[in-house]
Amino acid sequence: MNRIVRAGLVCIACVAAVIPLKAQEITEESRNLFSTRPLKSKVPLSTGSQVIIKSATTLRGHLTITTSTDQLAMIGYTKKAKARNRSSAIDFIDQIAVDLVKIPGGVRLELRAPNPAPWSDKEFGSVEVQLMIPEQCHVDIDASFFDIVAEGPFAEFIVPSSLGRLEVANVTEELVLVTSNQRVSVEDISGRIDVSTSNSPLIAQKVACRGGQGMFRNEGSEIKISEVSGDINVKNSYGRIEIDAFAATGEKSYIRSNYGPIEVNVTGVAAGQLIVTNRYEDIEISLPNNVSAEFSLAVEEEGKIEVYNFPFKPDLVRRNRLSLISGDGEALISGSVRGKGNLYVRGYDVED
């Protein structure tokens, strides 16, 4: 056997050895769903840095973000593919790249894939990401098809456009979450706030609005907000609004709905304005029976107004309009229903 033939056989043997080894790194989690082993990376990062996350629009997945006192950004991730066979899955996964790199002032996490995607409509490529960063970082995410679960403390957390489910806790300065047709849940949030979705619940707990009105938007599903203070601006259509334990300590708050009932429980009112409007559904407002406010209440011909369980002096009394003063009239509370709907204002004992 000459030297050239021997060299050719060695090359063939090497190729035969490499291909199965590469395939063994891909496991089949379930029928036609393949994944890599967990992969890891880390870079130095200081508290309060900028963290930018950007994904290709052809990728989907889950992004989990937590914080620690370590001065590092640490990532663990798994690349996945749904494909008709193992060979196609390997090809798809090889075209997905995850890079965590230093940039001036912080880090950038890039999740890349070809555009157009190599997979068909019934296939996909995805990434499962666990990212740990220092506390009080400024996080900005552009990853349209990723579900996000994040727990800070973060200084800022910005998701300006998404089609994924969002769950964020512990933000101290600014929160922006905008998605569609997906559930949004936030907790322990303060500062400037703007949260919106559609056709899925929007849930917010322990919210302190500062630096302007806290904005909450939905259409086609419920909004539930509890333990909130400051100025709020809440708007919904075709879904219920429930606001519990609202300390209206700001200058002006708006709550508006169309074709969905509104329930507001107020724990205190400063010398500002609370304006609640609805169309074709009821409004129910409960507040302390020692409230000091001027009320302006109105419904249309088919509606009714009921005010009870706190002392007040009527100023204007008509069948579908009522103005009254409670205490010194320090705040202004306005409620109105257009179309068919009723307006209820109830006082409760502050010791309850």
Side-chain angles (χ1 to χ4, degrees):
M1 186 178 296
N2 62 41
R3 186 175 302 171
I4 295 175
V5 174
R6 285 199 301 270
L9 291 175
V10 169
C11 291
I12 293 171
C14 289
V15 171
V18 168
I19 291 175
L21 180 61
K22 185 176 181 180
Q24 286 176 12
E25 296 179 352
I26 307 298
T27 60
E28 187 170 7
E29 291 188 352
S30 59
R31 182 177 175 81
N32 299 124
L33 179 62
F34 300 85
S35 68
T36 66
R37 59 180 174 81
L39 305 168
K40 297 181 180 181
S41 179
K42 63 182 178 180
V43 297
L45 186 67
S46 59
T47 299
S49 296
Q50 184 78 23
V51 177
I52 298 174
I53 302 172
K54 185 174 179 60
S55 170
T57 57
T58 52
L59 274 178
R60 66 173 71 177
H62 298 270
L63 179 59
T64 302
I65 306 174
T66 56
T67 62
S68 76
T69 56
D70 295 331
Q71 301 299 287
L72 288 171
M74 296 180 287
I75 181 175
Y77 63 94
T78 302
K79 296 190 286 185
K80 299 188 177 186
K82 184 174 182 180
R84 58 185 180 275
N85 53 49
R86 179 181 291 271
S87 177
S88 296
I90 292 171
D91 180 54
F92 296 163
I93 287 172
D94 283 345
Q95 297 183 70
I96 299 171
V98 178
D99 289 318
L100 181 66
V101 296
K102 287 286 292 180
I103 60 171
V107 296
R108 181 182 180 92
L109 173 59
E110 295 185 356
L111 310 171
R112 300 196 303 272
N115 188 9
W119 38 83
S120 68
D121 292 340
K122 295 182 179 180
E123 301 169 321
F124 62 78
S126 69
V127 185
E128 307 286 332
V129 179
Q130 296 81 40
L131 176 65
M132 181 176 290
I133 57 177
E135 297 178 350
Q136 294 298 330
C137 283
H138 301 251
V139 181
D140 195 327
I141 301 176
D142 179 6
S144 297
F145 296 98
F146 277 69
D147 294 334
I148 299 172
V149 176
E151 183 171 0
F154 309 105
E156 296 178 357
F157 201 94
I158 311 296
V159 184
S161 180
S162 177
L163 296 171
R165 186 173 63 252
L166 307 177
E167 183 177 336
V168 180
N170 200 349
V171 179
T172 60
E173 296 179 16
E174 182 172 10
L175 174 70
V176 177
L177 300 178
V178 180
T179 191
S180 299
N181 304 310
Q182 295 286 355
R183 178 186 176 93
V184 177
S185 177
V186 301
E187 183 175 0
D188 195 12
I189 306 299
S190 62
R192 299 178 296 276
I193 299 166
D194 187 348
V195 180
S196 67
T197 189
S198 60
N199 302 312
S200 287
L202 189 163
I203 311 297
Q205 302 178 66
K206 298 180 182 178
V207 177
C209 304
R210 296 195 297 267
Q213 293 177 331
M215 311 289 286
F216 300 90
R217 298 283 185 273
N218 202 351
E219 183 173 352
S221 191
E222 64 184 358
I223 296 177
K224 289 187 176 182
I225 307 172
S226 62
E227 298 180 67
V228 56
S229 63
D231 286 325
I232 60 174
N233 192 320
V234 182
K235 186 176 181 180
N236 199 4
S237 298
Y238 301 97
R240 175 182 296 272
I241 295 176
E242 294 183 14
I243 302 175
D244 187 38
F246 174 33
T249 56
E251 296 181 359
K252 183 176 289 187
S253 289
Y254 292 94
I255 303 169
R256 294 167 288 177
S257 185
N258 295 312
Y259 301 96
I262 298 175
E263 297 181 17
V264 185
N265 168 257
V266 179
T267 58
V269 183
Q273 296 183 54
L274 172 60
I275 301 169
V276 186
T277 64
N278 206 351
R279 295 183 64 187
Y280 297 101
E281 263 292 0
D282 294 349
I283 295 174
E284 298 183 28
I285 302 173
S286 59
L287 36 74
N289 57 13
N290 61 357
V291 64
S292 178
E294 180 179 345
F295 293 81
S296 176
L297 310 173
V299 296
E300 294 198 343
E301 291 299 325
E302 296 185 13
K304 65 180 179 181
I305 301 172
E306 292 186 5
V307 180
Y308 57 99
N309 206 36
F310 66 97
F312 61 84
K313 295 181 292 184
D315 184 44
L316 173 67
V317 179
R318 294 181 180 174
R319 199 202 66 79
N320 61 343
R321 185 175 177 186
L322 178 62
S323 296
L324 56 91
I325 297 175
S326 176
D328 296 328
E330 295 177 1
L332 173 61
I333 298 177
S334 174
S336 63
V337 179
R338 294 182 61 187
K340 187 176 181 180
N342 305 313
L343 177 53
Y344 306 95
V345 180
R346 177 185 69 86
Y348 63 84
D349 193 326
V350 293
E351 294 181 357
D352 288 351

